[in-house]
Amino acid sequence: MRYDLNLLPIFVALMEERSVTRAAERMGMTQPALSNALSRLRLMLKDQLFVRERYGIQPTPIALELSPLIAEALAQLDDAVLGQQAFDPAQAERLFTIAPNGYVEFVIVPAVLARLEKVAPGVKLRLTPYGNDLVETGVVSGTTALVLGRIVDPPDNLVVQHLMDEGLACAVRADHPAIGDAMTREQFETMKHVNIVPPGRMRAGLFQALAQQQLKRDVAISVTNFFAAAEMVAVTDYCATLPSLICRQLMHDPRLKVLPAPFDLGSFPVEMAWHVRYRHDPAHRWLRALIGEVITDFKDKTAATAMTSPT
């Protein structure tokens, strides 16, 4: 039997988007053209494949059974084709869309950009929001190259790489009337706090650590980014508990001082994930390696620098 291979990427798009409209947008097709392609898919594979429901479409049991086989076949084809292509970062003109969480955007992306400026001036980055749902970032469909942050419950079509573990420290204003060079547990519990509630799951780590230590925290204000937290602390007697590498940057602000937490708050993982179809894409592999080099630099500096705050 002869198969129309052009229909298989449409099958994958429908599986991942669960919407004819979104799949058509992703494939650069009109909705009637995609519906026509779906009719041909049904005829070719001898099954209804997708059933309309109130909020989109749902795959049939046969579609679910075929999905990993078709995705893997297309990934192997991509590997074979892309693996033959050369990538010269110094000459390349390429735009990568990545989805970093707030921590990665603050700490890691500037270092990545600085390295790109030196070794690949034609490579550009576009940042897209990192939300609670990985699907919304575009990484599950492959429209976004990378997602960076804390990856929770990734689907089977994502490859996840652990980059590093990050600790937590406390920031207060430099001339805080009650806090000297160290903070006690009692002071932590009686102070008012600035809470950071970025999108994603990273905040769960701090709340869980506080619960395990049976600690209370009097939250005076919740903000959505680290820049705002630093400004709030600089003009109040509040405290902010922040990732160690962010605290390291805040140490350069004369209005602030960084202190070790008066108890063990553990650490949280920083991870990177991408669609399986990019496993052997030379340009994508190069970008992942560059990010890995940036992370190695952070680790080396952490090991070589004596700090008063935990890292």
Side-chain angles (χ1 to χ4, degrees):
M1 180 177 181
R2 298 180 64 183
Y3 296 98
D4 184 350
L5 296 180
N6 292 320
L7 295 176
L8 298 185
I10 294 172
F11 174 87
V12 172
L14 288 165
M15 278 296 300
E16 293 178 348
E17 299 292 348
R18 304 296 171 94
S19 163
V20 172
T21 300
R22 290 197 300 270
E25 292 174 353
R26 171 173 160 182
M27 298 301 297
M29 304 169 64
T30 64
Q31 190 167 331
L34 191 131
S35 295
N36 180 267
L38 176 56
S39 296
R40 287 184 284 137
L41 264 169
R42 286 166 169 163
L43 182 62
M44 183 176 78
L45 298 177
K46 303 184 184 308
D47 187 73
Q48 185 71 6
L49 297 178
F50 299 96
V51 179
R52 290 189 179 275
E53 294 190 351
R54 183 177 180 183
Y55 296 108
I57 57 174
Q58 290 299 319
T60 66
I62 287 180
L64 289 170
E65 182 179 349
L66 289 172
S67 178
L69 302 175
I70 291 174
E72 180 61 24
L74 290 175
Q76 289 180 3
L77 184 59
D78 284 343
D79 289 349
V81 174
L82 293 172
Q84 303 301 314
Q85 299 177 3
F87 179 73
D88 180 1
Q91 303 297 324
E93 298 286 337
R94 180 93 177 242
L95 172 66
F96 288 100
T97 298
I98 65 174
N101 68 6
Y103 167 82
V104 173
E105 185 172 357
F106 189 102
V107 173
I108 297 173
V109 171
V112 171
L113 191 63
R115 188 162 298 207
L116 286 175
E117 184 181 30
K118 293 179 180 178
V119 302
V123 173
K124 299 177 176 61
L125 299 179
R126 174 182 175 270
L127 306 190
T128 192
Y130 180 107
N132 285 316
D133 189 345
L134 284 173
V135 173
E136 295 175 359
T137 68
V139 71
V140 175
S141 66
T143 55
T144 293
L146 292 168
V147 62
L148 297 111
R150 188 171 188 175
I151 314 298
V152 179
D153 299 327
D156 292 340
N157 67 346
L158 291 190
V159 180
V160 179
Q161 177 183 343
H162 180 270
L163 295 174
M164 67 179 188
D165 292 306
E166 170 68 304
L168 296 161
C170 297
V172 297
R173 69 183 176 97
D175 55 350
H176 196 289
I179 306 297
D181 295 331
M183 182 189 305
T184 66
R185 179 186 178 115
E186 181 181 2
Q187 287 173 321
F188 183 92
E189 290 191 293
T190 56
M191 293 174 69
K192 292 187 179 298
H193 289 258
V194 179
N195 184 45
I196 297 88
V197 285
R201 310 283 184 93
M202 189 175 73
R203 63 180 179 268
L206 175 57
F207 282 102
Q208 290 169 358
L210 292 172
Q212 290 170 357
Q213 294 280 348
Q214 297 183 327
L215 285 159
K216 296 180 297 182
R217 190 170 57 144
D218 184 3
V219 176
I221 184 171
S222 292
V223 298
T224 60
N225 62 77
F226 298 112
F227 292 104
E231 291 303 314
M232 301 296 176
V233 168
V235 296
T236 67
D237 290 339
Y238 298 170
C239 171
T241 303
L242 304 168
S244 295
L245 287 176
I246 288 179
C247 284
R248 177 181 297 180
Q249 295 192 25
L250 296 181
M251 291 172 69
H252 300 295
D253 188 332
R255 303 173 302 165
L256 304 172
K257 62 182 173 183
V258 174
L259 305 168
F263 33 74
D264 182 13
L265 287 175
S267 62
F268 62 88
V270 181
E271 298 159 314
M272 174 168 64
W274 60 91
H275 197 286
V276 292
R277 76 165 63 105
Y278 295 124
R279 283 178 301 188
H280 300 297
D281 179 335
H284 202 280
R285 292 174 65 181
W286 173 83
L287 178 62
R288 300 196 308 259
L290 183 140
I291 292 172
E293 291 169 2
V294 168
I295 297 298
T296 297
D297 285 349
F298 279 130
K299 292 178 179 177
D300 290 345
K301 290 176 182 177
T302 298
T305 304
M307 295 181 61
T308 57
S309 61
T311 57

